[in-house]
Structures are given as structure tokens and as C-alpha cells.
């Protein structure tokens, strides 16, 4: 199927029919970022939250110089918590290290757990070691999803100093938390991590045990290569 001309996509983004606007936005997938971003901006304030969410995600993928400032503004000012969470997530995809301060502020100050969750995940995507204190604090959250996000992010960052802090989750009642721990430990190869992975290899949940086996194998293969 031939790609739609940009003028046609632009006109379709102004259609009164939501489905037309969604199809038009989706058709920007193969359009270069410089051409796509001006068109994505047309629906950033759309009446449909679903379309706005798609547009924000697109800004994290179609990266131009202006995407960072747009996403930070949405994260800081949008009244809808779902949209703020989308903006935090898109900043993680963008991978711009300047987003660290805005994501840290969102984690500490936003009142909605979903935004804080997205901010924690995005901090992991940035791989910025400055996130250590924020993520260690998130481990003590009452929200289990925040704990999961923090464990994963510490693994993404490769924060070896966090190993002792996350090992306590080896005894978690929730197998998903234990699986996040396994995946994080796989990125944090220390003697303690390897010992914990061998313990989790015998986990009662097959997903956790299998993940631990895979991580141990990967660590072993890396050791053989060095």
C-alpha cells in the first residue's frame, strides 16, 4: 500500500472523525521525523485522550530538537494524569539526559502513582546513575508497581551499589516482583547477585526459575568471553 502524501495526512488530522485522525497519525510511522513532528503537533491538544496519548508516544519515537521541550511541558502542566504519565514514558524513549531533572521532579512531586511509575521506568531508560537515590526511595513505596519499576530501573542503569537494597525482594510474595528482581540481577553481576540467582533458579514459580536460569547462562557466557 502506497504511503499517503503529507498534505493528505495533514488534512486527515483535521477531520471531525476520530477514526480518520487516528489512521492519519498511525500513517506517520514511516515518515521521517522532521516531516512527522509538525503533523503530530496538530493533535497534541485533541479532544480524544487516546489520540493525544498516541501523539505523545510518537514524539518519543520521532525525535527532533523540539520534542524534548514539548514533552517536558506536557509532563509538568497537563491536567490529565494519564497524559502526564505518557509524557514521562516518551521522555524515557527520547533518551535525552536533560530529562533527568523533570523526571525526578515528577517522581517526587506528582500525586498520581501512574506518573511516578512512568517517571521511574523512564529514569531507567535514561541510564543516568544520578537516579540512584530516587529509585532506592521508590523501593520503600507502598505501591508494588513502583517497587517493580525501581528494581527494573536499577538493573537498566547497571547500579551495582543497589544490589543489597533489591535483594530483600527475593522473599516477595508476588512472583512478578521476584521476576523483576531476577531480570535486574542479570544486569548486575556480582557474587551476591549470582548467589541470589542460583537461589531463585529453584523458585516455586516457573517464570521466575526460568528467568534466573537464562540470566545465569548469560552471565556465564559473558565471563567466558572476557
Amino acid at each position: 500500500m502506497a504511503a499517503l502524501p503529507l498534505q493528505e495526512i495533514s488534512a486527515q488530522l483535521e477531520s471531525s472523525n476520530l477514526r480518520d485522525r487516528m489512521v492519519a497519525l498511525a500513517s506517520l510511522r514511516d515518515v521521517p521525523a522532521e516531516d512527522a513532528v509538525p503533523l503530530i503537533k496538530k493533535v497534541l491538544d485533541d479532544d480524544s485522550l487516546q489520540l493525544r496519548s498516541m501523539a505523545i508516544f510518537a514524539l518519543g519515537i520521532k525525535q527532533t530538537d523540539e520534542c524534548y521541550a514539548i514533552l517536558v511541558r506536557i509532563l509538568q502542566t497537563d491536567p490529565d494524569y494519564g497524559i502526564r504519565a505518557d509524557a514521562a514514558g516518551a521522555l524515557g524513549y527520547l533518551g535525552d539526559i536533560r530529562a533527568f531533572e523533570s523526571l525526578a521532579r515528577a517522581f517526587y512531586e506528582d500525586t498520581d502513582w501512574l506518573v511516578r511509575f512512568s517517571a521511574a521506568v523512564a529514569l531507567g531508560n535514561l541510564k543516568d546513575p544520578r537516579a540512584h537515590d530516587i529509585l532506592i526511595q521508590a523501593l520503600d513505596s507502598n505501591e508494588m508497581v513502583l517497587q517493580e519499576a525501581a528494581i527494573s530501573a536499577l538493573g537498566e542503569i547497571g547500579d551495582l551499589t543497589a544490589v543489597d537494597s533489591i535483594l530483600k525482594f527475593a522473599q516477595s510474595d508476588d512472583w512478578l516482583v521476584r521476576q523483576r528482581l531476577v531480570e535486574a540481577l542479570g544486569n548486575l553481576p556480582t557474587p551476591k547477585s549470582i548467589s541470589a540467582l542460583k537461589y531463585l533458579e529453584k523458585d516455586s514459580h516457573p517464570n521466575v526459575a526460568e528467568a534466573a536460569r537464562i540470566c545465569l547462562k548469560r552471565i556465564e557466557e559473558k565471563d567466558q568471553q572476557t
Side-chain angles (χ1 to χ4, degrees):
M1 195 172 104
L4 289 173
L6 289 179
Q7 280 179 308
E8 197 174 320
I9 296 173
S10 182
Q12 211 174 325
L13 286 168
E14 293 173 12
S15 167
S16 58
N17 184 301
L18 173 59
R19 188 178 177 280
D20 287 346
R21 301 199 301 279
M22 292 184 89
V23 168
L25 184 61
S27 69
L28 291 172
R29 188 179 295 115
D30 300 320
V31 172
E34 291 72 21
D35 296 324
V37 168
L39 297 177
I40 293 167
K41 285 163 65 180
K42 294 179 77 161
V43 290
L44 280 175
D45 296 314
D46 199 89
D47 291 338
S48 163
L49 285 177
Q50 188 180 359
L51 188 64
R52 290 187 70 203
S53 179
M54 282 174 63
I56 288 165
F57 176 76
L59 287 180
I61 306 299
K62 300 287 184 185
Q63 303 179 3
T64 70
D65 290 343
E66 62 182 329
C67 292
Y68 167 74
I70 294 169
L71 291 170
V72 166
R73 174 181 58 77
I74 293 169
L75 174 62
Q76 292 176 348
T77 64
D78 203 275
D80 186 274
Y81 70 87
I83 295 295
R84 295 198 305 279
D86 289 334
L91 282 166
Y93 281 117
L94 205 58
D96 190 321
I97 208 71
R98 291 176 298 167
F100 175 80
E101 282 80 8
S102 297
L103 290 168
R105 193 175 306 121
F107 179 82
Y108 283 125
E109 296 176 7
D110 205 284
T111 53
D112 194 274
W113 70 265
L114 185 61
V115 181
R116 299 178 77 218
F117 169 80
S118 284
V121 172
L123 286 167
N125 290 338
L126 288 187
K127 295 181 167 53
D128 188 327
R130 289 178 296 168
H132 172 88
D133 290 350
I134 296 167
L135 298 171
I136 293 295
Q137 181 180 325
L139 293 176
D140 294 326
S141 168
N142 295 326
E143 299 282 354
M144 198 171 284
V145 289
L146 267 181
Q147 294 175 345
E148 285 182 42
I151 292 167
S152 296
L154 288 163
E156 289 283 333
I157 291 167
D159 190 342
L160 293 174
T161 64
V163 169
D164 284 348
S165 300
I166 63 174
L167 280 179
K168 62 185 179 186
F169 292 97
Q171 307 296 334
S172 172
D173 293 335
D174 189 314
W175 70 269
L176 269 173
V177 172
R178 299 197 305 277
Q179 182 161 338
R180 293 289 171 272
L181 172 64
V182 165
E183 290 159 0
L185 291 173
N187 292 323
L188 303 168
T190 70
K192 278 187 179 178
S193 303
I194 292 165
S195 176
L197 285 168
K198 286 176 178 171
Y199 168 77
L200 288 159
E201 201 178 9
K202 302 179 183 70
D203 195 89
S204 57
H205 198 285
N207 292 27
V208 178
E210 178 63 16
R213 269 193 294 278
I214 290 167
C215 287
L216 284 166
K217 189 165 183 286
R218 200 169 64 225
I219 291 169
E220 191 182 325
E221 285 168 357
K222 273 188 186 169
D223 285 346
Q224 287 169 357
Q225 289 167 8
T226 53

